[in-house]
Structure formats: C-alpha cells, structure tokens
Amino acid sequence: MMFCTNPMRFFATVFVSLIAFAGSVAAQAPCSGKDALTAKSCAGDTNSPDEQALFDLVVKYRAANGLPAVRLSPSLSMVANRHIIDLVQNVKSFTHGWSNCPYDINDEKTWPCVSDSPKRLNSGYTGQAFETLFRTATGKATPAQAMEAWKKSKLHNSIILNLDAFRDMPWDEAGVAIDGGYAVLWFGSPGHKSGFSANPVQGSGIGVSYDQTIAGLSKMVSIQQTSVSGVKQWLGFSADKKVKLELRGSPSAMSQATVNISIKPGSGNKLSADSQKIIVTLLGNLFPEWPNIDTWLTTSVTAISDDSSIWRTRTVRGIKVDLRSDGVDSLKLLVKP
C-alpha cells in the first residue's frame, strides 16, 4: 500500500499540529498509549531541526518544479507526530490507519480515518489532509533519506508535486514529523472537501503489470480473480496451502496493487523449498534489479523465528518490502509503496 485517482486510497503520509502554549519543546510531556489521541500537548508536537530541514527540502523540491511554497502548519505537524506515536505504541504496524480508526483501502467508510484526522484530533486544521509515510528499519529516518524515497515513488511524488489524482488539490499548508524510523508529511488546503473517483491512475505504485507479477507462478500457485469496491483482486494458494497470495490493481497496471503473502513455516521454522521458490519468484518479478533475494528471505525468516517482535524491511525503488511475524507459525510479507 493499488493506486487510483481516489487520493483517499493511496496515501504516502503527512500530519502535524502544534497546540499553542507557552513553553519550549523540552516542556512538552511525553504521551504514551492512547493519550496521544486526546492530549492537548505531546513531546514532539513542536518541529525539531530535522523536521524543519525536511520541510525545507519539500519547499525546495516544489520550487524546482515550478510550484509555489507551502506554509509550515503547526496543526498538521501535530497530527503527524501523533500518528507516529500511535503507530509505534498502539498500532505497531505500518499503516495510514489509527488505533481508534482503522483504515482499509477497500472500504470507503474508512477513508475519513485518514483525511479527517486533523478534525478527529482537534488539531485546529479545518480541511482534509493527505499523508505520505516513510519508515526505515535500519536506524533513524533522516530528512534526505525520506525525501529521496518519496521522490522515487510515483504516488508519493505526485502528492508532493500535485500530480495525477492530486493535480486539482493545490496545497497551501504542510506538516512534518520525524521520530525514530518514521518520517511523515501531511498536505492539505483549508476547507478542501473533495469527491473521490475510483478510476485508476496508471503508473503509480509498484510499476509492473499483472502478467509480469505472476510470471512463472502459474504452476505453483492457483489464482482466481474477484473484484472489491471496483478494484480487481487476485487470490492464490500454493498446493500445500502454506502460501497465500493476494494481489490488487488492474491487469495492465499492478502499480496500483498491494501484494500480501501469508506463509506458514515448516519444520524448524524454515520455509519449504516450494514456499521459498514462490516468494523468490514473485519478488524477482516485481524487482528484477534486486540481487540475492533468496539470501535476504532465508536470513529474514531465521531472524524473525528467533525474535518474533522484529521486522525485516527492504526498500527497492522507494517501495517497501516488509516481512514480519503474523501469529503463531505464520509470517506475512507485504509489498506496498
């Protein structure tokens, strides 16, 4: 997380709101758990030097592409900070949703969980907002690292530069937050309320066709096609039922697809030879430039079997590949821009 002209369905993530009060950043009390969703002030609501640097990179990039500057929004920056806190402490996964408002790309009723976040958190921001989200599993996120990843992603780049589905939504405010491995941007226009269309935006997301995605998999995985909320969906299972494959998008543009794979490790918390081959083939189809996929998969499964709390992440072309535990004897691989 696949992409469409409906900006509510494919975000990249941004929000921040600064509650006006006298005091320094140091005076802000840390928020924990659900407090981040209701507290008037939390540590991190005020922009740090790194966050200011990320905002400056955004303004510079927009100017280089002939676009006007946006104002730094304390309100949207507060929302961005609260989202990171909620993701790390409550949700504990990489998503545009919140612990008190889950987001499902296939359920229209959940879209306001993202766009109406500023209102729900009483940030003072009156319009809808759209998010770009970055996470690294290899240390602390930096302004340059996040910006380069967003520029390489078709969807994230189109949000920042008002392209494709966002061309009629000129931003005049933006918020930023950076904490740990996360970096977040929120863009919006006060009072903006848009109706959304489900027509696909070609070229966003993963950037491959359906045929390219499943090349070499037909003999290993049985795949059937369905449709959910106007978006085509393919579900596939390996013969031994240890691998479940889920694709979303359109036949010509799996750039709008989300790929989920559920894996049940075999004896000794190792993948079977067939399961390994399916996953390596799929990732090779999606990312032909990625070397040593087999080695990455093997070492990642071993690491997670030793400590189920960790995630293994690889970023290719600005697209995240996350492997994590998904319960007892189960792993989940998510490929999502």
Side-chain angles (χ1 to χ4, degrees):
M1 218 34 224
M2 162 177 163
F3 298 108
C4 69
T5 55
N6 187 329
M8 286 309 313
R9 306 187 66 168
F10 309 103
F11 298 103
T13 306
V14 176
F15 272 97
V16 181
S17 177
L18 175 62
I19 305 299
F21 69 103
S24 65
V25 175
Q28 294 176 323
C31 291
S32 61
K34 299 292 184 178
D35 290 344
L37 305 175
T38 57
K40 291 184 177 180
S41 175
C42 290
D45 284 351
T46 302
N47 289 132
S48 68
D50 269 358
E51 290 163 349
Q52 181 66 52
L54 177 56
F55 176 76
D56 291 342
L57 288 175
V58 171
V59 172
K60 182 178 179 180
Y61 183 51
R62 284 175 57 84
N65 286 271
L67 296 172
V70 294
R71 295 189 300 273
L72 179 59
S73 168
S75 295
L76 291 181
S77 292
M78 171 267 210
V79 179
N81 180 53
R82 303 302 178 89
H83 197 202
I84 293 177
I85 296 173
D86 193 42
L87 290 175
V88 172
Q89 298 192 18
N90 301 319
V91 182
K92 298 182 180 180
S93 66
F94 189 74
T95 174
H96 293 290
W98 299 72
S99 60
N100 66 347
C101 200
Y103 168 72
D104 181 353
I105 192 174
N106 292 312
D107 186 353
E108 273 187 63
K109 296 189 296 293
T110 70
W111 295 349
C113 287
V114 178
S115 63
D116 291 349
S117 294
K119 296 178 183 178
R120 197 172 59 256
L121 270 69
N122 296 313
S123 72
Y125 188 78
T126 60
Q128 291 184 328
F130 301 86
E131 177 185 51
T132 67
L133 179 63
F134 170 83
R135 189 188 70 188
T136 176
T138 57
K140 178 177 172 56
T142 67
Q145 185 183 36
M147 194 66 199
E148 284 305 307
W150 288 329
K151 287 163 69 174
K152 292 176 181 177
S153 166
K154 176 69 174 179
L155 176 69
H156 296 72
N157 190 62
S158 64
I159 293 177
I160 296 171
L161 297 182
N162 292 113
L163 301 173
D164 299 327
F166 306 93
R167 62 185 179 276
D168 296 325
M169 301 177 189
W171 316 129
D172 61 0
E173 295 191 28
V176 296
I178 299 176
D179 190 25
Y182 282 93
V184 181
L185 289 175
W186 281 97
F187 290 96
S189 297
H192 173 75
K193 290 187 177 182
S194 173
F196 304 119
S197 162
N199 295 325
V201 174
Q202 303 298 322
S204 302
I206 298 173
V208 298
S209 69
Y210 171 73
D211 287 341
Q212 180 180 343
T213 300
I214 67 164
L217 290 174
S218 59
K219 293 184 178 180
M220 295 183 283
V221 181
S222 176
I223 301 176
Q224 294 183 336
Q225 179 181 319
T226 61
S227 180
V228 179
S229 299
V231 177
K232 292 187 183 301
Q233 176 175 283
W234 291 265
L235 295 176
F237 293 88
S238 60
D240 59 8
K241 303 298 182 183
K242 289 186 177 180
V243 176
K244 176 184 177 182
L245 173 64
E246 181 178 339
L247 305 171
R248 294 189 183 97
S250 71
S252 62
M254 294 305 287
S255 56
Q256 301 138 55
T258 299
V259 180
N260 292 280
I261 305 172
S262 297
I263 312 157
K264 292 187 176 180
S267 176
N269 287 323
K270 295 182 179 180
L271 299 181
S272 69
D274 288 343
S275 295
Q276 182 96 359
K277 184 176 181 180
I278 290 170
I279 299 165
V280 170
T281 299
L282 175 69
L283 292 177
N285 291 343
L286 295 176
F287 308 108
E289 69 272 43
W290 181 358
N292 304 319
I293 294 174
D294 194 270
T295 300
W296 177 85
L297 181 60
T298 299
T299 57
S300 296
V301 170
T302 299
I304 294 171
S305 65
D306 290 338
D307 182 355
S308 62
S309 68
I310 69 172
W311 290 40
R312 295 303 295 265
T313 300
R314 179 68 180 257
T315 302
V316 186
R317 300 197 310 271
I319 299 169
K320 291 283 187 181
V321 180
D322 286 323
L323 182 66
R324 60 181 173 83
S325 173
D326 195 36
V328 179
D329 295 331
S330 183
L331 300 175
K332 184 173 185 179
L333 180 70
L334 176 65
V335 180
K336 184 178 179 181

